[in-house]
Amino acid sequence: MKIGFIGLGNMGKPMALNLLKDRHEVIGFDTVSANLDGISMATSAAEAAIGVDCVITMLPNGVILQSVADQVLNNMTKGAMLLDCSTVDVESARHVAKLAEAKGIIPIDAPVSGGIGGASAGTLTFMVGGSEEGFTKAKALFEVMGQKAVHCGPSGNGQAAKICNNMILGATMIVTCEAFAMADKLGLNRQAMFDVVSTSSGYSWTMNNYCPAPGIGPTSPSDNEYKPGFASELMVKDLQLSQKAAELVDADTPIGQMALKLYEEFVFDEDGDGKDFSAMLPRFEKRSRY
Ligand code: NAD
C-alpha cells in the first residue's frame, strides 16, 4: 500500500519503519523534523495524504488528531482509510470518524498496547473500532505492525477498550505495589510473596509479567532503576481519558478515580515524572498509613 504516516515520535517511527521494511511505500510527516531512516518526508500533513491508500496517525492527543484530520481529509482519495493508532478520548475518535465517513473515507480507531518495544518488534496489539470492511482492509497493516488485532465494534470502541484495559492496569499496579510494601512491613520475604501471589488468586499481569519489585520475577523496569517501560505520565494520560469517558456515560468508577488521583500526585507533586509506572512500589515503601 501507499501510506501517509503522520506523527513519527517514539511509537510512530518504528511502526513506519516496519511498514517500510515490508515494502509498503511510506511518506511521513511530523511537526518536528524526524531522523528519516529511509522514509521520505512530506512538507505538511495535507501533502502526506495525497493519493495514498491509508493515512496512519500516531499523535499525542484528541485535539491534535482532530486538527490533523481537518488537514488531511480533503486531500484523501475516496475509499482510502484513516487509521488512527494514537490513544485519544472516545469522543474525538467518534467525531473524526463522522467527518471521515462524510467524505467517503473509511475511519478506523486502533490504539495499541505493547509500548515502544512492541512498536519496534512489530508485536503490538491493536484494539480496533470501525466497520467490518475497515477492519478487513487494515488487517494486512496490523499484521506488519503487530501480533494481534481485535475488532471491538463500531468507531470509538477501540479507544473504549484501550482505556478500560489501562484503568485495570493502573489500579492493579497500585494494589500490587501497596501489597508488596505492606508485606515488607509484615516481615514477608518478597520472593515468597511473589511465589505465592503469582500462583494464587491475587495473580495479575502486573505481578506475573511486570513485577514491580527489583530482582523478583521476570526482568522488568524495576530491574533497571524504574526507567520506563511505560512512563507514569502516560498512565496519568490514560487514566484521565478513562475518567473523561466515565463522566461522558455516567459510569461509577471509584477505583479508576482513585488510581488517577494517586498517579497524578505521583507525577505532579512527588518524584514520579519520567519513572516507570511500577515505581509506585518505592513510593509506597517510603510512606506510612497516615
Ligand atoms: P511522541 O510524543 O513520541 O510522538 C508523537 C509525535 O507526534 C511527535 O513526534 C510530535 O512531534 C508529533 N506531532 C504532534 N503534533 C503533530 C501534528 N500536528 N502533525 C504532525 N505530527 C505531530 O508520543 P508516542 O510515545 O509516540 O505516543 C504516540 C501515541 O501513542 C500517544 O497517543 C500515546 O498515548 C500512544 N501510546 C504510547 C505508548 C508508549 O509507550 N509510548 C504506548 C501505547 C500508546
Side-chain angles (χ1 to χ4, degrees), residues 6-12 29-32 58-60 64 68 86-87 112 115-116 162 234 237:
I6 301 174
L8 296 163
N10 290 323
M11 295 290 288
F29 177 71
D30 196 294
T31 41
V32 173
M58 196 52 172
L59 297 162
I64 295 177
V68 167
S86 333
T87 304
V112 301
I116 299 165
K162 166 87 186 174
L234 287 178
K237 173 191 171 181

Side-chain angles (χ1 to χ4, degrees), residues 109-179:
D109 55 288
V112 301
S113 164
I116 299 165
S120 300
T123 54
L124 294 169
T125 294
F126 290 88
M127 305 154 220
V128 188
S131 64
E132 194 64 52
E133 182 199 5
F135 181 66
T136 307
K137 269 192 147 180
K139 239 184 194 156
L141 301 177
F142 296 143
E143 279 165 12
V144 176
M145 297 184 286
Q147 60 179 355
K148 192 175 169 73
V150 180
H151 190 199
C152 302
S155 290
N157 280 26
Q159 298 295 348
K162 166 87 186 174
I163 55 171
C164 287
N165 180 74
N166 280 21
M167 188 169 82
I168 295 170
L169 176 66
T172 312
M173 180 56 86
I174 288 169
V175 78
T176 303
C177 292
E178 67 185 23

Side-chain angles (χ1 to χ4, degrees), residues 233-253:
E233 53 272 26
L234 287 178
M235 179 50 83
V236 167
K237 173 191 171 181
D238 290 0
L239 289 170
Q240 283 171 341
L241 290 176
S242 79
Q243 290 314 296
K244 198 171 169 192
E247 271 166 32
L248 186 72
V249 295
D250 192 23
D252 187 19
T253 57

Side-chain angles (χ1 to χ4, degrees), residues 18-267:
N18 281 333
L19 291 167
L20 195 70
K21 251 189 249 157
D22 201 57
R23 306 221 177 118
H24 292 283
E25 189 182 338
V26 182
I27 173 158
F29 177 71
D30 196 294
T31 41
V32 173
S33 66
N35 181 0
L36 311 181
D37 283 336
I39 297 172
S40 60
M41 296 294 280
T43 54
S44 66
E47 190 190 316
I50 297 169
V52 299
D53 303 296
C54 181
V55 168
I56 301 180
T57 46
M58 196 52 172
L59 297 162
N61 59 48
V63 173
I64 295 177
L65 171 67
Q66 292 195 37
S67 119
V68 167
D70 284 341
Q71 295 166 56
V72 299
L73 283 172
N74 281 333
N75 276 14
M76 290 177 68
T77 314
K78 274 198 170 54
M81 293 179 275
L82 177 60
L83 174 57
D84 176 44
C85 298
S86 333
T87 304
V88 304
D89 55 292
V90 175
E91 256 184 314
S92 293
R94 291 190 173 145
H95 176 70
V96 165
K98 262 199 196 130
L99 295 179
E101 272 162 0
K103 304 221 180 255
I105 307 299
I106 302 170
I108 305 157
D109 55 288
V112 301
S113 164
I116 299 165
S120 300
T123 54
L124 294 169
T125 294
F126 290 88
M127 305 154 220
V128 188
S131 64
E132 194 64 52
E133 182 199 5
F135 181 66
T136 307
K137 269 192 147 180
K139 239 184 194 156
L141 301 177
F142 296 143
E143 279 165 12
V144 176
M145 297 184 286
Q147 60 179 355
K148 192 175 169 73
V150 180
H151 190 199
C152 302
S155 290
N157 280 26
Q159 298 295 348
K162 166 87 186 174
I163 55 171
C164 287
N165 180 74
N166 280 21
M167 188 169 82
I168 295 170
L169 176 66
T172 312
M173 180 56 86
I174 288 169
V175 78
T176 303
C177 292
E178 67 185 23
F180 261 120
M182 182 171 85
D184 290 344
K185 293 191 176 183
L186 291 168
L188 177 60
N189 169 301
R190 285 186 173 182
Q191 187 64 53
M193 164 89 171
F194 176 82
D195 291 345
V196 169
V197 175
S198 64
T199 53
S200 300
S201 46
Y203 85 96
S204 64
W205 185 85
T206 58
M207 176 60 85
N208 292 35
N209 298 71
Y210 205 96
C211 183
I216 308 286
T219 304
S220 70
S222 69
D223 300 308
N224 190 23
E225 293 164 343
Y226 295 100
K227 292 197 182 99
F230 186 54
S232 295
E233 53 272 26
L234 287 178
M235 179 50 83
V236 167
K237 173 191 171 181
D238 290 0
L239 289 170
Q240 283 171 341
L241 290 176
S242 79
Q243 290 314 296
K244 198 171 169 192
E247 271 166 32
L248 186 72
V249 295
D250 192 23
D252 187 19
T253 57
I255 304 296
Q257 233 169 328
M258 177 58 80
L260 172 59
K261 183 173 170 288
L262 286 172
Y263 271 108
E264 280 181 337
E265 282 173 13
F266 188 44
V267 168

